[in-house]
Amino acid sequence: MPSLQAQLNLACQSIQHAIGVGKVADYIPALARVPADKFGAAIVTVSGEKAFFGDAREPFSIQSISKVFAITAALNRFEQQIWERVGHEPSGNAFNSIVQLEKEHGIPRNPFINARALVVTDALLEGQTTTDCSNQMLELVQLLADDDTIAVDNEVAQSERDTSHRNAGLAHFMRSFGRIENSISDVLDVYCRQCAIAMSCEQLARSTLYLANNGTDPITETHIVNEERGRRINAMMMLCGHYDASGDFAHRVGLPGKSGVGGGIVVVVPDVAAVAVWAPRLNANGNSHAGTAALEALVRATKWNVL
Ligand code: GLN
């Protein structure tokens, strides 16, 4: 059996031709400036073994991957009640779509589309200032990654905030149904800062290891969420983690995963490992093109799956 590092090397080398395919997200101006042909990958196993490839230690904008951390925080704070404000069905629509919201009375389909993420942020803001709420999210991520050097990229946060017309539209629309309680400006401030957290593949894989280990960090033994919540987060990642391409991702990779428009993807291999990849060029659904290809090659070699 080849070593983990050898398997990662082979998988990543086999998809190098895919790195130049796709387009960097440019609707957030600061993201358009990221070098398009970066590529990194990292595996961290539940026993603490690590493997790296390419730009695995370079921080990038985690964007929607932060929604995994936000739902973790919200489940711990509000328990089951959070599911009354948001659903848990795949949307089949783009991450920033408004179309279902009207029919479904302003209740977003699942935690990973933007509308729902804004509702989660609104819930987390309850009783706190925007600064405290943003700091809490960053502290959670630092705890999960066991790394207090992780920070928000202020330039990306400001760039998204200055151009967040569509998310503002979603938030106003939901407010008309009484689904948003705080000021929309505050919700957008916190949401944009959460999306602008910068992490490397190594830090991202490390930070989601609790989801591969029934909700408890296997290295520090910190209890993050109970087993049932961990299972539910993984189920959401499997069904909704890649928006309207979630079925395609499950077909090709078959593991719970979450993508972000910064080009990152993190996947959970239950009882085994967490894997993060980064390649900024995206496919038409806003998911990393080469990142998906690398994960597909890796699971083919390792035979990792959810069964
Ligand atoms: N911050 C981005 C947005 O709200 C996140 C989207 C994504 O990563 N898919 O548009």
Side-chain angles (χ1 to χ4, degrees):
M1 186 76 172
S3 70
L4 199 61
Q5 183 64 59
Q7 286 180 315
L8 182 65
N9 290 348
L10 275 176
C12 293
Q13 279 152 3
S14 74
I15 60 82
Q16 291 295 297
H17 59 280
I19 293 175
V21 180
K23 280 209 181 106
V24 172
D26 55 7
Y27 73 99
I28 300 173
L31 288 186
R33 296 194 276 274
V34 173
D37 295 327
K38 289 278 178 188
F39 180 86
I43 304 174
V44 183
T45 70
V46 291
S47 58
E49 192 186 345
K50 292 183 175 181
F52 303 111
F53 188 91
D55 303 309
R57 291 196 163 102
E58 193 172 316
F60 59 90
S61 193
I62 66 169
Q63 292 297 316
S64 280
I65 299 173
S66 65
K67 292 168 187 170
V68 174
F69 306 128
I71 190 65
T72 296
L75 272 171
N76 274 348
R77 189 157 154 207
F78 304 104
E79 307 189 355
Q80 295 310 95
Q81 285 155 10
I82 196 73
W83 300 119
E84 288 161 21
R85 294 181 68 180
V86 294
H88 33 72
E89 288 298 335
S91 71
N93 282 318
F95 64 88
N96 52 8
S97 172
I98 202 167
V99 296
Q100 269 160 356
L101 274 179
E102 179 161 27
K103 255 195 353 235
E104 299 180 3
H105 312 289
I107 302 182
R109 275 272 174 118
N110 69 63
F112 295 150
I113 51 174
N114 283 13
R116 155 63 200 238
L118 294 164
V119 173
V120 172
T121 300
D122 182 55
L124 290 171
L125 254 171
E126 193 183 301
Q128 331 197 55
T129 64
T130 53
T131 309
D132 288 348
C133 192
S134 294
N135 288 345
Q136 261 180 25
M137 185 55 61
L138 184 60
E139 281 160 19
L140 172 66
V141 171
Q142 291 173 336
L143 170 82
L144 295 174
D146 195 18
D147 186 340
D148 59 14
T149 65
I150 294 169
V152 172
D153 181 329
N154 289 317
E155 190 197 336
V156 173
Q158 194 57 51
S159 177
E160 179 167 10
R161 185 66 186 86
D162 290 343
T163 53
S164 53
H165 309 299
R166 184 178 276 256
N167 284 330
L170 289 169
H172 279 288
F173 195 70
M174 289 188 290
R175 184 152 187 154
S176 75
F177 286 102
R179 307 288 179 201
I180 295 270
E181 281 158 22
N182 294 281
S183 101
I184 286 166
S185 170
D186 286 357
V187 171
L188 292 173
D189 283 351
V190 173
Y191 173 77
C192 292
R193 289 191 71 72
Q194 165 200 308
C195 290
I197 293 174
M199 294 169 80
S200 67
C201 291
E202 179 182 10
Q203 290 165 330
L204 256 182
R206 176 69 188 82
S207 68
T208 47
L209 213 47
Y210 70 106
L211 294 171
N213 191 52
N214 302 319
T216 296
D217 186 315
I219 316 273
T220 61
E221 293 179 1
T222 311
H223 174 81
I224 309 294
V225 286
N226 69 26
E227 212 173 311
E228 182 179 279
R229 288 178 200 155
R231 189 160 41 79
R232 290 195 160 144
I233 296 168
N234 285 344
M236 283 294 94
M237 289 170 75
M238 188 75 163
L239 292 175
C240 319
H242 284 71
Y243 319 108
D244 44 344
S246 297
D248 186 55
F249 188 82
H251 179 78
R252 293 174 61 189
V253 179
L255 293 168
K258 184 73 205 80
S259 68
V261 289
I265 303 176
V266 68
V267 295
V268 174
V269 193
D271 302 325
V272 179
V275 186
V277 291
W278 173 45
R281 291 182 190 270
L282 309 177
N283 62 24
N285 304 101
N287 302 313
S288 173
H289 178 78
T292 308
L295 290 167
E296 188 177 15
L298 182 68
V299 296
R300 188 167 290 141
T302 55
K303 306 204 180 341
W304 283 342
N305 62 55
V306 285
L307 303 176

